[in-house]
Amino acid sequence: MQGSLFSAAAPAGRPWPAGPNFADWVAAADVALAAGHAPESLDWQPAKGAWREQRRGDGAGLPPGFARYAAAAHAHVGAEVRPRLYRLLWRLRHGEPGLLDLAADPDVAMLRRWERAVRREAHKTKAFVRFREAAPEVGGEARPRYVAWFEPEHRVLPTLAGFFRRRYATLAWSILTPELAMHYEGEGAVWFGPGASAADAPRGDAFEEAWRVYYRNIFNPARLKIAAMCAEMPRKYWKNLPEAAEIPGLIRAAEARTQAMLDAPAATPALHCGPRPESPGGALQREAAALRPGSLPRLAREAARCQACPLAGPATQTVFGEGPAQARIVLVGEQPGDAEDLAGRPFVGPAGQLLEGLLAEVGLAREALYLTNAVKHFRYRPQGKRRLHQNPERAHIEACRPWLENELAAIAPTVIVALGATACEALLGRRVALADSAGQRYRYGAATLLLAPHPAALLRAPAGQATALRARLCDSLALAARLAGPEATPPTTDQRPERRAD
Ligand code: URA
């Protein structure tokens, strides 16, 4: 390389060595920049030294935007690459921070061309490397080694080391190219050795026939477009692709095969897998239509398809209310939690278990009550593998309100107990200070509405407050039991009154 960039007549500059890797160039460029060496004062020397895997962080410290282009362009075989990358870096650091936006700038245009060419080559290398099983050496390694011969135009192997290492993580393999070879032992790091020749790689193993069969089978003669095919699978790669040997014959036979397909009688649907199965949504709709409008089972089927708010997407399922349609007491919670979302039933998690214990204390059986929530989908924030509860917003309460209203209309309970602030807001249509409403009675249609602390609040509260919350919740449940009368704990099934769930 000459001292003044790309000009053969210019005097030689300061020799500037750097190893072959992108990280080596970054380090050398860093030193040159720090020393204030202008691009034309440097003579970048031919790269010498050991290759190693190129990693994402190798360009750390380069200006944002430039690192990604430079990391790819560096693999281009052009002799000017390293000085030109340095000139770009110099310009970015010396008053031209927006340089990369100037697509017409010759340095930028070149950078982009190189980056595109390398990216395309890397893509083709991933697609067209074909491994063959190498015959084990006598007395050599017992495990098979898979070896590929490939002739990339650019030095893409170090940039693809991570890709191949992850894809063939447990196999021992080598990719040989004329300039360098990349090896992996089925564990540890990828390592590089000197270039090889086609004769060093095995030829013709059992996989070759598999590739040919595969290609013959995916080749559709009726869709033959030779130019598009050659753009996808350029001819320069054919010589190392076992399946490419099939191409000429397949092209020659394409017209006749297409005509034969047209002439053949329409195929009978011999491969049919039976009638198309009904979609889950369709099945729910059909089941729902068979049930009495407004009944709890019908509401539950309809709610299972509810998409009225964005909570439906991330949640596992709609958690509808559960309990007898004749229940005299309805408990309304906030929303299903993690356990409820997975089980599809309300109050089965820690808060539900606590609630069940308190119900038993005041002489109520869970099975005699109807338990539901103001919001029927679990709202959460993912954190690693965990799903952290998030309070529902007013919009979620509003979207779910019709389901709650319909449930209450179907049951017509004597007493409703709103557990926690969300349920109170859903039933009263406004926020209330729960602490002030202990013992107060509200109306919800013909029912008495009591406001009580949510059992989950007892689980979260410090010991001193938990006792008071517990007492208030028990009082409300006991009051609900009194107001509902003996009917609150229903008679056995055969003595039940006429009203049925469906
Ligand atoms: N909390 C609620 O509000 N409802 C449930 O179903 C479970 C926990």
Side-chain angles (χ1 to χ4, degrees):
M1 195 61 233
Q2 306 302 317
S4 175
L5 272 183
F6 324 128
S7 144
R14 181 189 300 269
W16 207 253
N21 302 289
F22 177 55
D24 302 327
W25 176 85
V26 174
D30 221 28
V31 175
L33 267 185
H37 296 318
E40 53 283 355
S41 73
L42 295 183
D43 181 9
W44 287 83
Q45 303 289 292
K48 285 205 191 81
W51 286 95
R52 62 172 181 72
E53 174 173 343
Q54 183 166 318
R55 292 182 183 272
R56 229 180 253 278
D58 286 352
L62 295 176
F66 177 63
R68 187 173 67 82
Y69 278 104
H74 183 267
H76 197 280
V77 287
E80 296 173 12
V81 170
R82 298 181 131 203
R84 198 125 186 186
L85 286 180
Y86 183 64
R87 187 160 78 183
L88 277 154
L89 181 58
W90 175 270
R91 292 178 62 191
L92 284 161
R93 292 282 193 223
H94 289 82
E96 296 182 75
L99 175 62
L100 296 184
D101 297 331
L102 307 178
D105 181 281
D107 285 341
V108 175
M110 188 59 103
L111 175 73
R112 292 192 175 181
R113 260 205 305 285
W114 284 336
E115 187 265 346
R116 258 200 316 278
V118 168
R119 203 155 32 85
R120 182 175 157 80
E121 187 70 27
H123 175 68
K124 298 294 179 203
T125 306
K126 287 183 196 169
F128 297 142
V129 157
R130 297 282 180 269
F131 289 98
R132 283 139 179 130
E133 191 171 343
E137 287 168 28
V138 181
E141 49 188 332
R143 69 190 307 191
R145 173 169 287 270
Y146 297 91
V147 181
W149 166 248
F150 198 68
E151 294 170 81
E153 203 171 313
H154 303 290
R155 299 183 185 106
V156 290
L157 283 194
T159 70
L160 297 175
F163 168 82
F164 283 108
R165 184 167 44 73
R166 284 189 294 277
R167 172 168 281 192
Y168 305 110
T170 56
L171 302 177
W173 50 259
S174 299
I175 302 175
L176 312 181
T177 76
E179 195 177 2
L180 77 160
M182 180 161 77
H183 308 280
Y184 181 66
E185 306 310 320
E187 60 187 354
V190 162
W191 58 280
F192 291 86
S197 72
D200 296 319
R203 286 243 152 222
D205 65 356
F207 288 129
E208 297 225 339
E209 185 50 20
W211 276 111
R212 294 169 77 129
V213 170
Y214 167 72
Y215 194 78
R216 282 202 297 272
N217 282 300
I218 60 161
F219 183 89
N220 182 348
R223 289 182 169 251
L224 176 62
K225 289 201 179 79
I226 295 178
M229 185 185 78
C230 290
E232 251 324 288
M233 195 193 220
R235 282 178 196 273
K236 66 177 181 173
Y237 299 108
W238 287 17
K239 60 179 182 291
N240 294 318
L241 293 171
E243 67 269 37
E246 297 290 318
I247 295 175
L250 288 169
I251 292 178
R252 270 197 309 276
E255 205 180 322
R257 283 179 62 200
T258 309
Q259 195 53 52
M261 279 156 65
L262 290 172
D263 294 344
T268 48
L271 280 180
H272 269 193
C273 316
R276 188 191 179 116
E278 191 173 20
S279 72
L284 280 170
Q285 213 161 0
R286 195 171 37 74
E287 274 181 39
L291 297 162
R292 188 168 56 76
S295 67
L296 289 173
R298 175 143 177 178
L299 291 170
R301 299 287 196 294
E302 288 168 351
R305 293 184 298 123
C306 181
Q307 301 281 337
C309 79
L311 299 187
T316 309
Q317 57 193 312
T318 305
V319 179
F320 205 68
E322 107 179 348
Q326 306 82 354
R328 296 295 80 222
I329 302 176
V330 172
L331 303 189
V332 182
E334 181 197 67
Q335 62 165 350
D338 187 68
E340 288 79 12
D341 171 78
L342 297 173
R345 294 181 54 208
F347 287 104
V348 292
Q353 283 159 24
L354 174 64
L355 178 65
E356 246 177 75
L358 300 181
L359 287 172
E361 270 183 40
V362 301
L364 287 171
R366 173 187 171 125
E367 301 71 46
L369 313 187
Y370 187 87
L371 270 60
T372 190
N373 285 297
V375 172
K376 312 287 192 230
H377 283 118
F378 179 31
R379 182 172 193 230
Y380 65 90
R381 178 167 57 82
Q383 190 182 75
K385 289 188 179 161
R386 297 177 61 214
R387 305 189 299 170
L388 301 185
H389 166 275
Q390 278 196 296
N391 290 334
E393 289 173 4
R394 179 178 289 258
H396 307 131
I397 299 173
E398 289 310 322
C400 257
R401 189 189 294 285
W403 298 121
L404 181 59
E405 285 175 354
N406 282 320
E407 279 174 299
L408 294 171
I411 299 163
T414 311
V415 188
I416 303 168
V417 185
L419 301 170
T422 301
C424 295
E425 187 177 346
L427 290 161
L428 286 175
R430 63 188 157 90
R431 288 185 174 275
V432 285
L434 259 178
D436 303 338
S437 48
Q440 285 199 44
R441 299 176 193 191
Y442 297 79
R443 299 249 33 107
Y444 184 94
T448 303
L449 171 63
L450 305 176
L451 312 186
H454 193 288
L458 276 63
L459 295 173
R460 284 194 300 264
Q465 284 173 32
T467 313
L469 287 173
R470 186 181 200 283
R472 274 176 39 212
L473 177 51
C474 283
D475 286 350
S476 302
L477 295 175
L479 177 58
R482 278 203 307 282
L483 292 173
E487 268 191 81
T489 301
T492 51
T493 326
D494 34 341
Q495 298 165 305
R496 280 189 183 179
E498 270 301 79
R499 198 144 52 86
R500 287 173 6 118
D502 54 358

